Amino acid sequence: MDLDTLLSFDWGTMTPEFIILGMIAILSVADLFMPKQVDRKVLGWAGFAGVVLALISLVSLIGTETTSILYDTFRLDSFAIAFKLILLLGAALVMLLAIDYRTKDGLEEYKGEFFYLFLTALLGTMFMASSGDLITLFVGLELLSIPSYVLAGMRKRNLKSNESAMKYVLNGGISTAITLFGMSYVFGIAGTTNLREIAQVFGGLSDPQHIYILGLAFFMIFVGLSFKLASAPFHMWAPDVYEGAPTPVTAFLSVVSKTAGFVIILRILLSIFGYIPVPQEDGQQIPLLFAVQDYIAFLAGATMIIGNVIALRQRNIKRMFAYSSIAHAGYILVALTAMSFVTFDAIWFYMLAYLLMNLGAFAVIQVITMKTGSEDISHFAGLYRRSPLLAVGMGIFILSLAGIPGTAGFIGKLNIFMGALMVDQAHYVLVSIMIATTVVSYFYYFGIMTQMFFRPAASDEKIHLPIGTLVVILVTVIGTILFGVMPNLAIDFMHSNFNQFVDFMR
Amino acid sequence: MDFNYFLTLLVFSPLLGIGLLAFMPKANESGIKMLGVLATLPSLILALIAYFSYRGGHDLANFSEKFRWIQFGGQGAEQSGMFSVNYELGIDGFGLIMVVLTAVIATLAAIASFHIKKEWKGYYMLFLLLEIGMLGVFTSQNLILFFLFFEITLIPMFFLIGKWGYYEKEKAAYSFLIYNGLGSAILLIVIMVLFSRTGTSNIEMLSVMMNTDNAPLFAPVSESLKMGLLIALLVAFGVKLPIFPLHSWMLRVHVEAPPSIVMIHSGILLKIGAFGLIRFGMGIFPEQFAELAGLLAVLGVINLLYGAFLAFIQTDFKMVLAYSSISHMGIVLIGLGALNEAGIQGAIFQVVSHGLISALLFFLVGVLYERTHTTTLANLGGMAKGMPLASGFLLAGAMASLGLPGMSGFVSEFMAFLGLFEEMPVLAAVGTIGIIMTAVYLLRAVLAITYGNAEREFAGVTDIRSFEWAPVLVLIGLIVLIGVYPAVLSEPLQATLETILMGIGG
């Protein structure tokens, strides 16, 4: 590749990534040379500024023509922009939480690392959103995974944190191997790693043997990637890792990393497996993606049931939210199963709503667990007396997670239901499971409510909120309510700027 | 007169009270109580204006308002008019009556809430939120908006029961939440199936679309699906009403919730079940409803007898009234099952009449409990000596409830049975046993309280005083008014009834 070709690329499309990359370089060097006694908080704020800057540059890219550079390995289409918006917004809020995070078990000395590892993981997710090639997709995936493993074990003198990092690495390794195995079949048959070219080759497939192997490849890739979603069958790591990891990392895993998981699944599934023709008994051909719909539906159902039912028994708030996040992955899989024309809309909106409500909840959890040093749900008792703002905020997040109207979570669920019911073979069973498990979730969600509002507090000490956490809670409360009452702000924005993601494969 | 934002103002005016209450100092008890009552007045005044301007010849269609709210599915869908959910409020005669009833009972219950002993601020804020939900339910013109308001009533009720109730309040609150959560979950499935397959959630459009052949639907709706949806609706609203095997939550709520909240609950919330059945069941699926009419009538008679017999053996006055509510809701079902003009009119009359009567009786329960701290029949007795006026009103309420001519209960029961005797004379004859039983159990309970031997001395009890006069007089006045001049209800109802009957084809 000579200089002319290199310069001919429209590098402007990568501005957000460059900003994050530059910030990582600056932060790591600064952390190295800064004297030990200087508070690393300033690095956190710098990192936050970097993410915000990247967000601004991304917003300025909205409306640009669909472009791809570096021989179609990096694409800037509306899908990439839409999901990068969510990833960056989530990362910005997580950074704020991380700045305020204080713990006694060995994190303080490594606080600097904490911030640039976050940014590295974020960079990985952004590449995944923009990739047009299996190689870059996989590199993005690993760029997200490896810092995440380190982050999970950041509380170095905490046994659970170490355990969580270990479990995360082992599970992650296995799942990555499975994914890669699946991808190798795809490459073997297509002879290329470029998604678009793969789609072209697969469109002309007729040998049933090939299709059979690709069916196998589909299951391997899907199962491997379900690790990132924390959905069945690769959900078992979530409770242990969520419990052991520092709270901001848990928030990151449950929101940003999960979004990235859906991004890569959508990229691979739709652009590859949506084009493989599978002959049916009646002589017609349907895409492989539709032929395996029942299996995805089964996994979605299992995920919702496992998440919501096991959450009932949890006393540890972070474990409870781990199962809750498994359940929410199941809800989004319902949208994926349906494959209606609102699937993208539904997933995007649900991710946005989920980001707001879940990060808000984790902000409150972080405040409470830092204050008491324990993660037992009983420490929420009497929160309403100690800090009405926190209690009402948490109440709103919980209502939204439970899908009560008036909150963003409800509109998200509505969108998913709509997609699942509007297709010709309506998914009545799946929708019924989703609604029934939602009612089951009332038990544990309202259990927190009971603690906060009905039970007396152990101490009357008021809770002081650090500025970053306060901002997170305010932003998420306002967002949750606003998108619940006037969802059109988000939905119209999506439709006018991303035009139904029609340029996804172009 | 310009009615552009009239209904929005009517529904959301309690919001003003919530806002003002937020700034009241917590300890200012009398100020909060005054403000709480005052905040219910704007809705009441507007509701009365609506009623009288309607009587003065205004067309109710003038009250309708409609704004673009949510557009699912992008521009393509918007151009074809599909999948948009508008914010649309409107009332017909039935809605108008329910709105007036709600506003009246809400104000009176706010006055009855003076008996509340703690945390008045939170109480009144939730109370006003509950009022918004109820008013919204009766005015919303599309199913999704209806569901939104329907669920808004759920959350304040959970807190009002769980925090301000009696001994087993948390259990009652959970029982309320889960039963009603399941009910709304089923309702949501029905709503979403209709919305996804027809592309609209407007009630009027749905009524037309479901009953014309070759209506432009997004996806087909088969006859068996319609029947399934109607049965689901029956279960969903059956929980609310409640219909016989689904009633156990409602007993707990009646016993454990504070009396002022039971006034609302028994007076209005239960009636949403009847409202929904008439509005959606009869409105959208008239043919299928006609097929189920026999079943409804049987269920009605079961409710009537079951409630009446169990009320007879209760030892707690609140339980007597709770079973009496079940029994009286049976009459609503009987009226609907009759499926003719007299029957349906009787059912709607019963909805209003029982709303007023049970509000009155539970207000008196509150008055009694305030003075004696018991509602067990065995502990009460001889109250006529200490509080002759309250005892008199109690007797009057019981008379109204058992259907004494000249009071509202008589009109509704008479019409409902008149309707049923025309269609199913044998069943109706069995049902009349329930009417006799009603007289028996009510007189037994009331006489045990007012006369009989006082087991304990209630020497210092005072009779009805100051603020307690208002609810008693207003409710008795309305009960008698409807009893002697039913036209106050039947005239606004005429148009609604004609539409319903036309749909059924009877």
Side-chain angles (χ1 to χ4, degrees), chain B residues 192-497:
Chain B
M192 287 320 289
V193 169
L194 280 174
F195 180 56
S196 314
R197 300 194 84 79
T198 61
T200 179
S201 64
N202 181 291
I203 296 168
E204 235 179 282
M205 273 173 79
L206 278 172
S207 314
V208 175
M209 277 175 145
M210 285 291 118
N211 296 299
T212 28
D213 302 326
N214 308 322
L217 303 181
F218 184 80
V221 180
S222 66
E223 288 300 309
S224 54
L225 179 60
K226 280 188 199 171
M227 196 62 179
L229 290 178
L230 178 64
I231 292 174
L233 265 186
L234 191 62
V235 176
F237 288 122
V239 171
K240 201 88 201 166
L241 195 59
I243 295 177
F244 162 56
L246 307 169
H247 63 278
S248 68
W249 65 275
M250 168 268 203
L251 300 173
R252 282 210 191 106
V253 171
H254 268 68
V255 175
E256 300 299 337
S260 46
I261 292 308
V262 183
M263 280 173 75
I264 296 265
H265 178 249
S266 166
I268 300 163
L269 289 177
L270 299 187
K271 276 62 188 180
I272 296 177
F275 180 79
L277 271 184
I278 297 171
R279 209 55 190 293
F280 311 139
M282 280 185 164
I284 301 179
F285 308 105
E287 282 171 35
Q288 286 74 19
F289 197 92
E291 283 174 44
L292 284 187
L295 174 71
L296 272 184
V298 172
L299 283 174
V301 171
I302 293 176
N303 249 30
L304 177 63
L305 294 178
Y306 172 84
F309 278 102
L310 280 170
F312 181 63
I313 53 164
Q314 296 308 314
T315 53
D316 186 321
F317 189 47
K318 284 195 282 192
M319 281 302 260
V320 174
L321 293 182
Y323 277 107
S324 149
S325 278
I326 296 180
S327 176
H328 279 101
M329 288 301 99
I331 294 177
V332 173
L333 287 175
I334 287 175
L336 295 183
L339 215 62
N340 49 26
E341 187 173 350
I344 298 170
Q345 199 169 16
I348 298 179
F349 264 66
Q350 177 72 356
V351 165
V352 178
S353 146
H354 182 256
L356 295 170
I357 295 169
S358 65
L360 173 65
L361 288 174
F362 271 99
F363 178 74
L364 291 169
V365 166
V367 169
L368 263 180
Y369 186 83
E370 178 70 14
R371 289 159 173 75
T372 62
H373 299 286
T374 177
T375 51
T376 315
L377 290 176
N379 290 344
L380 291 163
M383 299 308 293
K385 200 183 271 172
M387 31 196 310
L389 289 169
S391 303
F393 287 126
L394 192 62
L395 190 64
M399 287 299 148
S401 186
L402 63 81
L404 188 76
M407 293 172 120
S408 63
F410 171 73
V411 187
S412 52
E413 286 179 17
F414 178 75
M415 283 194 294
F417 270 96
L418 184 68
L420 193 66
F421 265 113
E422 274 176 32
E423 309 290 329
M424 295 166 239
V426 182
L427 196 62
V430 177
T432 45
I433 301 172
I435 301 280
I436 299 165
M437 282 306 295
T438 309
V440 175
Y441 70 75
L442 275 170
L443 287 175
R444 165 184 168 262
V446 170
L447 293 182
I449 293 173
T450 48
Y451 304 113
N453 298 320
E455 295 247 332
R456 279 199 288 166
E457 272 306 310
F458 300 117
V461 296
T462 47
D463 211 339
I464 287 192
R465 65 189 152 88
S466 61
F467 71 87
E468 293 169 345
W469 278 106
V472 171
L473 288 184
V474 172
L475 289 170
I476 291 260
L478 287 173
I479 291 168
V480 173
L481 176 68
I482 296 173
V484 296
Y485 187 62
V488 284
L489 289 188
S490 61
E491 276 177 21
L493 279 180
Q494 204 51 45
T496 314
L497 271 178

Side-chain angles (χ1 to χ4, degrees), chain B residues 45-94:
Chain B
I45 293 167
L46 290 174
L48 289 178
I49 290 177
Y51 182 78
F52 285 111
S53 61
Y54 168 72
R55 296 305 296 260
H58 261 286
D59 189 358
L60 282 179
N62 287 340
F63 289 104
S64 302
E65 37 185 285
K66 183 175 175 181
F67 303 98
R68 183 173 181 276
W69 187 36
I70 317 175
Q71 173 65 51
F72 292 109
Q75 278 118 343
E78 180 158 23
Q79 271 151 25
S80 62
M82 290 274 199
F83 298 116
S84 55
V85 182
N86 294 311
Y87 168 84
E88 41 198 340
L89 297 181
I91 36 174
D92 59 355
F94 188 18

Side-chain angles (χ1 to χ4, degrees), chain A residues 171 175 178 219-227 229-237 295-296 298-300 302-303 306 326 333:
Chain A
N171 274 302
S175 73
I178 296 176
F219 282 113
M220 290 188 143
I221 293 178
F222 189 82
V223 165
L225 289 178
S226 70
F227 170 76
L229 314 181
S231 69
F234 254 118
H235 62 278
M236 294 86 78
W237 61 275
Y295 303 98
I296 308 181
F298 174 76
L299 288 181
T303 308
I306 291 170
I326 293 175
L333 280 181

